[in-house]
Amino acid sequence: MTPPAETITIAQARRLALAGAGLLAPRRLGLPERAGVRLGEARKRCYRVVGHFGYLQLDTVAVSGARTHCIVLASRLNGLDTALGETLLGPGAPLFEYWGHEACWLPLSLYPCFEWRREQYRTHPWWGDVLGEHPEVARSVMKRIEHEGPLRSLDLEGSGGTGWWNPKLTRRVAESLWLAGRLAIRERRSFQRSFDLVERVIPKDVRARRVSTAEAFDTLLLYALAGHGWASTATLSATWRLVKCRDLVRASLGRLREAGSITPCALRAERRTFPGWIRTDALERLPELQRLRPRGDRGVLLSPFDPLLWDRARVRLLFGFEQRIEIYKPASRRRYGYYCLPVLAGERLIGRVDLKARRSEGKLDVLSTHFESANPTARDRKALGRALERFRASVGLRQGGAHPAE
């Protein structure tokens, strides 16, 4: 096996990860740091952040005062009202909704790059051949949307609940039509999706563009590596859920290496080395990143589903931080809390807070605080205070009850 062309340290990989995530010197990547004053400008800056990663993961949980896609944006754009994040998808927006990392909003320019997945998902990945087994329901759903316009899942339930017009079945058919590329998500209101015909959502010129599967994989892997800085092949594949695509991924990485776009790069960690990849332009930027001195007293809260955090083994390796998502655990088995937001201070993950919004009272409660250190410094406490202050402002809530830090 050919040895890697480059080797970097954990500290270097951590800098690359934070820079790629837009959380360290974002201007060096051409990314904005603030939301701006005007609504239109803030919206455009949100689109730029999504355009950098290539995806913005969606999730329903809003217990902290905002859903994950809004928190991700607010952690990059200081001063952003998280309510704006709920309105980004709509007619004329440079986004579409599809299965990217998970259910995501993606730049409209990537729509042609998912033709292979739309073809793959003609058979639903979990429910099987829903469309083949229920063609009459599929035709009925398509006909209703064609004549009535965009319909929500609730609208598709119909007036009856017997026979083949079953609410659960109808929703499954609609989602299957979406995954297969026969319907598109027009917008979300109160986080409810509206299904519409593809030709009424995706512009004609975007639909007309043809991208081979090979070109699509090259594009997606470059996006993934831009967001990660350094990454293993497994992390790059997981970014887009490239399941059972090993040969296609390997071929794509080979092409990108041959073109000089990426470089094999090993990560040296104590007595182990981890093979991986780095974009050539990121490697050239590394000396500049190493000269930076991140402010450890300036904290920001991250969504538990942040692009920096979803690969938990990678977070453990680069930051020495055990990322946990405990919303699926019974309360008695949770170590930290229901929906904890990690605290980033400079280039360290210094702890996490469990928050609960009380909208009716206009307050945000801190249910628990957990520092990584048993004896947090004054700087870490200041960073947490700043992070909470920034988050409260972004969700439009004032300080509520608080529990002592642990």
Side-chain angles (χ1 to χ4, degrees), residues 292-315:
L292 294 176
R293 294 186 177 181
R295 286 285 299 270
D297 59 344
R298 292 182 178 176
V300 63
L301 300 187
L302 302 181
S303 161
F305 300 107
D306 193 279
L308 186 72
L309 300 174
W310 56 256
D311 189 333
R312 299 181 203 178
R314 173 183 166 87
V315 176

Side-chain angles (χ1 to χ4, degrees), residues 326-334:
E326 301 182 290
I327 57 177
Y328 308 108
K329 291 183 178 181
S332 60
R333 294 179 56 193
R334 294 177 197 141

Side-chain angles (χ1 to χ4, degrees), residues 30-305:
L31 294 174
E33 293 182 279
R34 300 192 61 84
V37 177
R38 297 178 181 176
L39 181 62
E41 182 61 27
R43 188 181 298 273
K44 288 179 182 178
R45 293 183 181 188
C46 287
Y47 292 144
R48 285 172 62 186
V49 172
V50 181
H52 168 70
F53 287 110
Y55 67 94
L56 182 63
Q57 183 179 342
L58 305 174
D59 191 74
T60 60
V61 179
V63 67
S64 66
R67 296 184 176 90
T68 181
H69 44 289
C70 303
I71 299 173
V72 169
L73 294 170
S75 63
R76 273 79 178 169
L77 299 171
N78 199 358
L80 181 71
D81 181 347
T82 53
L84 177 63
E86 297 287 0
T87 69
L88 295 181
L89 184 69
L95 301 178
F96 72 104
E97 183 169 328
Y98 196 60
W99 199 263
H101 173 68
E102 300 283 352
C104 294
W105 288 340
L106 305 109
L108 197 55
S109 60
L110 287 184
Y111 184 83
C113 293
F114 285 91
E115 184 59 35
W116 63 273
R117 175 159 284 168
R118 291 189 286 271
E119 180 74 24
Q120 183 184 66
Y121 282 0
R122 289 185 179 182
T123 298
H124 197 284
W126 304 293
W127 303 332
D129 190 13
V130 175
L131 301 180
E133 294 170 1
H134 304 282
E136 291 186 13
V137 182
R139 281 193 291 270
S140 176
V141 169
M142 292 293 293
K143 187 175 181 180
R144 279 197 65 191
I145 291 175
E146 179 183 0
H147 293 288
E148 298 178 32
L151 294 176
R152 301 171 301 164
S153 296
L154 292 174
D155 301 325
L156 288 166
E157 292 183 1
S159 58
T162 60
W164 59 265
W165 191 261
N166 179 279
K168 290 184 179 180
L169 173 59
T170 307
R171 286 196 294 270
R172 287 190 175 191
V173 166
E175 183 165 325
S176 297
L177 288 167
W178 165 58
L179 287 179
R182 293 172 62 186
L183 290 177
I185 307 300
R186 184 175 182 83
E187 62 183 347
R188 280 184 181 259
R189 291 189 179 181
S190 301
F191 209 63
Q192 287 287 318
R193 296 181 298 189
S194 292
F195 295 96
D196 201 354
L197 301 182
V198 174
E199 55 266 33
R200 296 200 296 230
V201 176
I202 308 299
K204 184 177 180 180
D205 63 320
V206 176
R207 288 184 281 116
R209 182 171 163 244
R210 293 290 175 261
V211 172
S212 68
T213 300
E215 184 183 349
F217 270 60
D218 291 356
T219 299
L220 295 175
L221 290 175
L222 277 175
Y223 263 102
L225 199 49
H228 293 306
W230 172 92
S232 66
T233 299
T235 295
L236 295 177
S237 296
T239 303
W240 300 109
R241 299 297 186 236
L242 303 179
V243 180
K244 298 180 181 179
C245 299
R246 183 177 298 178
D247 291 342
L248 288 167
V249 170
R250 184 184 296 117
S252 178
L253 293 172
R255 286 190 299 272
L256 294 171
R257 179 184 183 183
E258 185 68 23
S261 300
I262 66 173
T263 300
C265 183
L267 175 62
R268 185 174 66 252
E270 296 181 353
R271 298 180 181 179
R272 296 186 62 186
T273 57
F274 299 84
W277 303 89
I278 187 172
R279 282 180 55 139
T280 305
D281 54 359
L283 186 62
E284 294 169 351
R285 206 164 45 239
L286 183 55
E288 181 184 7
L289 292 176
Q290 287 182 271
R291 290 193 293 270
L292 294 176
R293 294 186 177 181
R295 286 285 299 270
D297 59 344
R298 292 182 178 176
V300 63
L301 300 187
L302 302 181
S303 161
F305 300 107

